[in-house]
Amino acid sequence: MSKFLLNQHLVEEDLPDSAIVLDIIRHRRGLTGTKEVCREGDCGACQVLLGKLIEGQLQYQSVNACLLPLGAVAGFHVVTIEGITVSNLTRFNKPW
């Protein structure tokens, strides 16, 4: 069971760690703003923000969801285009 925060919602997925985050976002969660285009990490249409605690501060980096395995996001904050607001990016300052 992998747990992560997707935009403002805690997500628990009982899938293999090798499942691709893009498929979870689009097909299991219905968030179609994250696009499926090349599935090779070249085009950037599937970019999401991945937030993690670094030295007590929550920091984000953009990643290609088409290359991101579910096992890599356990305990992290994944933000899609639907979830980008200042309040979403600043309110989560502690791990769950």
Side-chain angles (χ1 to χ4, degrees):
M1 178 74 65
S2 292
K3 293 181 186 181
F4 64 98
L5 196 60
L6 179 58
N7 297 329
Q8 294 180 341
H9 305 284
L10 181 61
V11 171
E12 296 181 16
E13 290 289 348
D14 191 17
L15 294 170
D17 284 346
S18 60
I20 300 300
V21 171
L22 175 62
D23 296 331
I24 294 165
I25 290 170
R26 289 185 57 83
H27 305 297
R28 293 180 65 92
R29 300 296 164 174
L31 300 173
T32 57
T34 303
K35 302 301 182 192
E36 178 179 347
V37 179
C38 73
R39 291 196 72 93
E40 295 179 354
D42 290 332
C43 71
C46 66
Q47 281 195 354
V48 296
L49 294 177
L50 186 61
K52 59 183 175 179
L53 279 176
I54 299 176
E55 297 179 9
Q57 296 273 341
L58 192 55
Q59 296 182 17
Y60 291 88
Q61 68 180 42
S62 61
V63 295
N64 290 328
C66 71
L67 300 177
L68 192 61
L70 177 61
V73 300
F76 287 71
H77 185 200
V78 176
V79 183
T80 66
I81 190 68
E82 293 91 347
I84 293 183
T85 66
V86 173
S87 63
N88 283 351
L89 298 180
T90 58
R91 70 182 271 219
F92 302 106
N93 58 10
K94 297 181 182 178
W96 49 92

